[in-house]
Amino acid sequence: MRLRDKVAIVTGAGAGIGEATAALFGEEGAKVVVADIDGGSGAQTAAGIQAKGGEAIFVAADVSKESDARRLAEEAVRAFGGVHVLVNNAAAFVLKGFDATVEDWQRSLHTNVIGTAMVTKYAIEPMKKTGGTIVNLASISAWVAQPNFFAYSSTKAAILQMTRNMAMDLAPHKIRVNAVCPGTILTSASYRHMQQAKLTLQQFEREEGAKTLLGRIGQAREVAYAILFLASDESSYVTGTHLMVDGGYTAV
Ligand SMILES: NC(=O)c1ccc[n+]([C@@H]2O[C@H](COP(=O)([O-])OP(=O)(O)OC[C@H]3O[C@@H](n4cnc5c(N)ncnc54)[C@H](O)[C@@H]3O)[C@@H](O)[C@H]2O)c1
């Protein structure tokens, strides 16, 4: 019960890594605020936590909208009385390079960079009263070049730098800020990536797995455990840094 009685907002918690994180947080005693642009899947994540005896609410929110970011923090406080943990996980996967249009860039930057900034801006107001932890989802894509990817990769690199700056600005309020950099993790996002690369699941697993030291792609729950570490008191002397969760992808 590493998050007993902590109020935790997880954005993009309707699917993939966000869903696995919200579920794990529920098991660890957190009161979970499940946020997602997709009402159906977000409500399902919250119901799943409740079905296991945990506490959760669902808030429909598009993190790229400032009004939604503000309402998300307000609803967390209204339901559970504060905010102690924020996981900025929601992302737009604009997997493009020079073919990205201005509209593509706006979607990528608005959701991933501005969304992370705005959700954090409003969540820290209640968090300042108690101290807290923030975990931002970056990626191996912030570190290595991948073909036709930079409309996405550049937003993940921006998240890494925001993490360091936010850690500096929020340290006086006893708020720690860190990032997790997942490698290739099997989620709906990877199915979209597979389609774009015209690969079957087996080909994708073989090709991506071969790029890692562990010889396989990762599961969402494996990233959720790293997020839990950074969100909990177990990482009490860790701030302004990142944790690679990539099976050794970037070690070579
Ligand atoms: N899957 C991977 O291989 C991988 C690798 C590195 C980093 N990541 C990062 O991990 C995070 C989660 O990725 P995933 O693979 O679980 O994605 P996913 O597509 O499986 O789930 C993302 C969730 O975010 C929601 N979402 C999208 N836009 C939103 C918005 N504007 N507001 C609120 N919710 C929104 C979606 O509805 C969905 O439920 C992302 O930040 C991603 O960049 C993933």
Side-chain angles (χ1 to χ4, degrees):
M1 298 295 268
R2 282 174 283 181
L3 295 179
R4 189 193 297 274
D5 295 333
K6 303 275 192 211
V7 179
I9 299 175
V10 184
T11 69
I17 293 168
E19 178 188 9
T21 302
L24 181 59
F25 279 15
E27 291 165 29
E28 293 288 337
K31 297 171 181 176
V32 189
V33 180
V34 172
D36 206 287
I37 197 170
D38 182 314
S41 63
Q44 239 176 338
T45 301
I49 294 168
Q50 290 160 355
K52 285 186 164 177
E55 283 188 77
I57 57 163
F58 168 61
V59 178
D62 176 348
V63 298
S64 71
K65 293 195 176 135
E66 183 174 8
S67 54
D68 282 15
R70 188 190 300 119
R71 187 171 46 79
L72 180 54
E74 285 168 359
E75 298 226 4
V77 172
R78 191 172 308 129
F80 296 131
V83 177
H84 308 105
V85 176
L86 167 64
V87 182
N88 282 307
N89 167 80
F93 292 86
V94 180
L95 306 182
K96 294 186 178 182
F98 288 111
D99 51 337
T101 61
V102 169
E103 290 72 29
D104 288 331
W105 273 105
Q106 280 166 341
R107 191 162 71 84
S108 192
L109 288 165
H110 265 124
T111 305
N112 302 2
V113 181
I114 301 173
T116 296
M118 287 302 125
V119 171
T120 306
K121 174 178 174 170
Y122 291 102
I124 58 173
E125 287 314 314
M127 204 184 270
K128 282 176 182 171
K129 296 185 182 137
T130 54
T133 53
I134 298 171
V135 184
N136 296 325
L137 268 289
S139 171
I140 53 166
S141 304
W143 297 95
V144 297
Q146 293 158 297
N148 298 320
F149 230 62
F150 60 80
Y152 171 76
S153 310
S154 54
T155 67
K156 293 288 148 178
I159 286 171
L160 274 187
Q161 185 56 34
M162 263 205 289
T163 299
R164 292 184 277 263
N165 281 52
M166 286 177 173
M168 174 179 269
D169 295 342
L170 295 174
H173 301 285
K174 300 200 173 1
I175 298 172
R176 296 184 294 106
V177 189
N178 291 291
V180 163
C181 297
T184 307
I185 310 299
L186 191 61
T187 67
S188 54
S190 20
Y191 280 98
R192 288 195 294 275
H193 187 183
M194 264 175 248
Q195 266 179 347
Q196 189 171 310
K198 297 188 173 48
L199 294 172
T200 64
L201 175 59
Q202 285 82 354
Q203 286 169 326
F204 180 77
E205 285 183 322
R206 199 170 45 242
E207 283 188 16
E208 291 300 313
K211 295 175 187 167
T212 72
L213 297 182
L214 297 182
R216 64 173 179 84
I217 64 173
Q219 300 298 323
R221 180 96 174 174
E222 295 179 288
V223 183
Y225 278 116
I227 296 171
L228 172 63
F229 167 67
L230 292 172
S232 74
D233 291 342
E234 288 177 359
S235 59
S236 54
Y237 199 52
V238 183
T239 197
T241 192
H242 59 273
L243 177 55
M244 308 303 297
V245 187
D246 65 354
Y249 189 118
T250 50
V252 285

